Amino acid sequence: MNVSDILQSKGDRVVTVRPSETIDVLAHRLKLEGIGAMVVSQDGKTIEGIVSERDVAHGLAEHGASLQGLCVSDLMTKNVVTCSPDDSIAEVAKIMTKRRVRHIPVQLDGVLVGLVSVGDVVKQRLNEMELEANVLRDYAIARQ
Ligand code: AMP
């Protein structure tokens, strides 16, 4: 199973935020969309960074109440770990564990084409395990 299988079932919509947007707006948009991270991009195609709820929590600890007025570019991680649609889900899961990130943007020829979260990876793995269990059960029944 590859990253493209996940994108096929969940779609390729990626919520992005501009680097100049305030943290106040970011926090409201994260709440509205019900998501934990946004890719930072000026044009919705080129990845400039990533910002997650953890950055907001750490920012609050560091800046206190003045955090709300800061910009996304003040908190975002610039060195973004990405994957490609052809990467295996097992490989992406390994990267998430090793790098301690829960979101990996998907890039094709330098363009943002999707995002995979740890929740997507777990869901896909559960589906696979269910399928395997069903196949084994059918096999066992057929041999009776
Ligand atoms: P997350 O696990 O997504 O909440 O992110 C935890 C921390 O890693 C935050 O500082 C994020 O900005 C950063 N981060 C999240 N995803 C990535 C990624 N794909 N590449 C680099 N940093 C990331």
Side-chain angles (χ1 to χ4, degrees):
M1 286 280 185
N2 291 339
V3 166
S4 56
D5 295 311
I6 290 183
L7 296 185
Q8 226 164 50
S9 64
K10 77 171 244 184
D12 58 3
R13 177 173 181 253
V14 186
V15 184
T16 61
V17 63
R18 290 201 169 87
S20 57
E21 203 55 89
T22 63
I23 301 303
D24 189 34
V25 169
L26 169 74
H28 280 93
R29 288 192 60 206
L30 285 173
K31 184 182 174 201
L32 204 70
E33 296 278 357
I35 55 176
M38 283 191 196
V39 172
V40 185
S41 174
Q42 193 63 42
D43 60 6
K45 290 180 189 158
T46 313
I47 300 172
E48 283 158 59
I50 190 161
V51 65
S52 87
E53 52 203 359
R54 189 185 304 179
D55 298 314
V56 178
H58 288 189
L60 186 62
E62 198 176 324
H63 303 283
S66 61
L67 173 70
Q68 278 188 315
L70 293 186
C71 292
V72 164
S73 57
D74 296 323
L75 293 192
M76 71 183 191
T77 302
K78 289 190 185 120
N79 193 9
V80 183
V81 179
T82 62
C83 65
S84 95
D86 292 336
D87 287 339
S88 75
I89 294 169
E91 187 57 35
V92 168
K94 239 187 255 172
I95 295 169
M96 282 178 170
T97 309
K98 196 171 156 210
R99 304 289 296 257
R100 304 181 120 227
V101 296
R102 292 170 292 178
H103 302 88
I104 300 198
V106 188
Q107 248 184 339
L108 186 64
D109 299 328
V111 175
L112 177 66
V113 293
L115 183 129
V116 176
S117 76
V118 69
D120 300 325
V121 170
V122 170
K123 194 173 158 201
Q124 189 75 19
R125 188 63 195 124
L126 282 176
N127 287 344
E128 273 172 37
M129 284 165 66
E130 204 179 315
L131 192 72
E132 281 164 23
N134 285 341
V135 169
L136 284 174
R137 198 183 49 227
D138 290 349
Y139 177 71
I141 290 169
R143 283 182 59 93
Q144 277 174 4

